Amino acid sequence: ALDPQTQQIVEGDVARQTERVLENLKGIVEASGSSLQRAVKTTVFLADMNDFAAMNEVYSRYFVGHPPARSTVAVSRLPRDVRVEIDLIALL
């Protein structure tokens, strides 16, 4: 949930952090010549599984139609105490 302009973690709830993470991923895959629609697998790491519904609502706006395979896991702590982290594999 790092803002690329300020290099600071986006403050707020898991929905806001999820949106920032997905915007970051979108920028990375587009810079490499791909897109989120070419994602084949994501892994979502949540600091609190009670945040799943809020994260999923934002996530579903970015992956419409045929979403990638996804694993979601709860972890005891994430770097810099963010609420969500997502890794993504996409085709070129």
Side-chain angles (χ1 to χ4, degrees):
L2 187 69
D3 183 324
Q5 301 300 318
T6 66
Q7 296 299 302
Q8 298 298 315
I9 300 297
V10 171
E11 297 294 325
D13 64 6
V14 73
R16 182 152 182 212
Q17 288 192 0
T18 299
E19 185 171 21
R20 178 73 264 158
V21 169
L22 289 168
E23 284 296 320
N24 291 349
L25 288 170
K26 180 180 174 187
I28 291 166
V29 296
E30 288 178 354
S32 70
S34 189
S35 73
L36 289 180
Q37 301 315 309
R38 294 188 48 84
V40 294
K41 172 74 170 84
T42 63
T43 304
V44 178
F45 302 93
L46 289 173
D48 184 346
M49 196 54 83
N50 291 319
D51 287 339
F52 181 84
M55 175 282 300
N56 197 53
E57 191 279 321
V58 175
Y59 183 96
S60 66
R61 287 187 270 141
Y62 284 82
F63 298 104
V64 294
H66 300 295
R70 176 179 72 183
S71 299
T72 303
V73 295
V75 296
S76 63
R77 190 170 181 199
L78 289 165
R80 298 178 69 180
D81 293 318
V82 296
R83 303 195 57 76
V84 61
E85 186 171 304
I86 301 172
D87 72 5
L88 177 140
I89 300 169
L91 301 172
L92 283 176

